[in-house]
């Protein structure tokens, strides 16, 4: 059964801390892995990863994929209160354009 | 580029009533998804359309939920009759192969 597992489930940090969110997957016919940020209702796109070892970076956020060990990490440096959100990991399969979502990591950044 | 449009944004109904949600995907996106997201959980796929055909509806509670995408563009999701446990955010999304998935703003349904 295809599945995506995220850890930790929740995290509380202070502003300025660095956090690492984890996503492991077991999906046959892998096409890509995506990270989303969900603050209120709609998840918003952060990164799409298709190749191992190539870091994607956007400001204080970065992500990398390991296709051999079947996991990805999302790093956030110098966290701010605006980073408080649920971070979702999803894996896209090659058959039928299907996406498999993890349960998300709830990040709370306190001033 | 216009995003995925959904309506309504919020809905409160009593149990056993019916409700319908509407979604218009990004132009040109052949694949349309309806997800249910209960508080504290990840999105759960209810149904996936490719054009106007159903690709996957294995987790759709077909005794009360129905969805259609008659012309391969916009879609409606209906719940009849609603139960308390249907309270959730209903997310519509669309995609092109290899370009990730884009979500609408969602509809927050509260069943009382």
């Amino acid at each position: 059964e295809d599945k995506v597992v995220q850890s930790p489930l929740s995290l509380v940090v202070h502003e300025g801390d660095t956090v690492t969110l984890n996503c492991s997957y077991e999906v046959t016919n892998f096409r890509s892995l995506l990270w989303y940020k969900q603050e209120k209702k709609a998840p918003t796109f952060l990164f799409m990863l298709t190749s191992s070892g190539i870091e994607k970076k956007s400001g204080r956020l970065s992500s990398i994929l390991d296709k051999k060990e079947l996991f990805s990490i999302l790093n956030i440096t110098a966290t701010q209160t605006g980073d408080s959100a649920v971070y979702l990991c999803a894996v896209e399969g090659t058959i039928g354009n299907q996406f498999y979502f993890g349960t998300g990591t709830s990040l709370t950044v306190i001033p | 580029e216009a995003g995925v449009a959904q309506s309504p944004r919020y809905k409160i109904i009593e149990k056993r009533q019916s409700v319908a949600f509407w979604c218009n995907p990004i132009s040109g996106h052949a694949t349309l998804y309806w997800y249910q997201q209960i508080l504290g959980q990840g999105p759960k796929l209810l149904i996936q359309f490719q054009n106007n055909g159903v690709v996957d509806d294995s987790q759709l509670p077909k005794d009360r939920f129905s969805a259609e995408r008659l012309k391969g563009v916009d879609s409606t999701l209906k719940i009849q009759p609603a139960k308390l446990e249907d309270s959730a955010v209903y997310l519509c999304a669309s995609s092109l192969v290899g370009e990730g998935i884009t979500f609408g703003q969602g509809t927050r349904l509260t069943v009382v």
Side-chain angles (χ1 to χ4, degrees):
Chain A
E1 181 185 338
D2 297 314
K3 63 179 179 180
V4 177
V5 178
Q6 292 186 246
S7 64
L9 290 181
S10 65
L11 196 54
V12 180
V13 301
H14 287 95
E15 268 192 319
D17 287 350
T18 294
V19 298
T20 299
L21 309 183
N22 303 290
C23 175
S24 64
Y25 62 92
E26 294 177 24
V27 174
T28 52
N29 304 303
F30 173 94
R31 182 192 300 276
S32 66
L33 185 143
L34 301 98
W35 284 97
Y36 290 84
K37 179 181 182 182
Q38 186 174 28
E39 292 179 85
K40 291 185 178 177
K41 287 194 292 183
T44 54
F45 173 80
L46 293 175
F47 298 111
M48 176 190 283
L49 304 156
T50 57
S51 301
S52 275
I54 299 174
E55 184 183 55
K56 291 274 183 99
K57 199 169 171 63
S58 176
R60 296 176 294 102
L61 278 66
S62 63
S63 184
I64 198 161
L65 173 67
D66 185 328
K67 290 169 72 174
K68 182 179 177 184
E69 300 298 329
L70 307 183
F71 78 92
S72 173
I73 59 172
L74 175 68
N75 281 319
I76 308 175
T77 59
T79 52
Q80 302 171 358
T81 55
D83 295 327
S84 296
V86 173
Y87 290 84
L88 292 168
C89 174
V91 172
E92 180 185 10
T94 57
I95 297 176
N97 206 21
Q98 294 187 321
F99 291 83
Y100 305 90
F101 281 86
T103 54
T105 293
S106 176
L107 173 66
T108 302
V109 181
I110 51 180
Chain B
E1 176 183 82
V4 177
Q6 281 190 252
S7 67
R9 299 288 296 274
Y10 303 90
K11 192 75 178 178
I12 301 174
I13 61 172
E14 295 182 350
K15 59 183 179 183
R16 291 187 290 274
Q17 285 188 322
S18 62
V19 64
F21 312 127
W22 174 83
C23 173
N24 192 20
I26 292 173
S27 178
H29 282 198
T31 310
L32 183 148
Y33 313 79
W34 283 102
Y35 287 90
Q36 179 194 60
Q37 189 174 22
I38 293 171
L39 189 63
Q41 300 180 18
K44 169 190 164 186
L45 180 68
L46 293 175
I47 189 166
Q48 177 181 340
F49 292 96
Q50 180 75 16
N51 297 308
N52 59 348
V54 175
V55 172
D56 184 355
D57 64 355
S58 57
Q59 298 193 87
L60 186 74
K62 297 180 185 63
D63 57 333
R64 298 184 300 107
F65 286 64
S66 64
E68 59 183 15
R69 192 185 185 198
L70 292 175
K71 296 183 179 179
V73 180
D74 57 349
S75 175
T76 55
L77 175 70
K78 296 179 182 176
I79 307 175
Q80 182 179 13
K83 293 185 174 182
L84 295 176
E85 59 260 37
D86 298 331
S87 294
V89 174
Y90 290 84
L91 294 165
C92 180
S94 67
S95 74
L96 276 176
V97 174
E99 294 189 9
I101 186 170
T102 303
F103 289 91
Q105 286 299 303
T107 298
R108 186 178 302 280
L109 173 68
T110 303
V111 182
V112 298

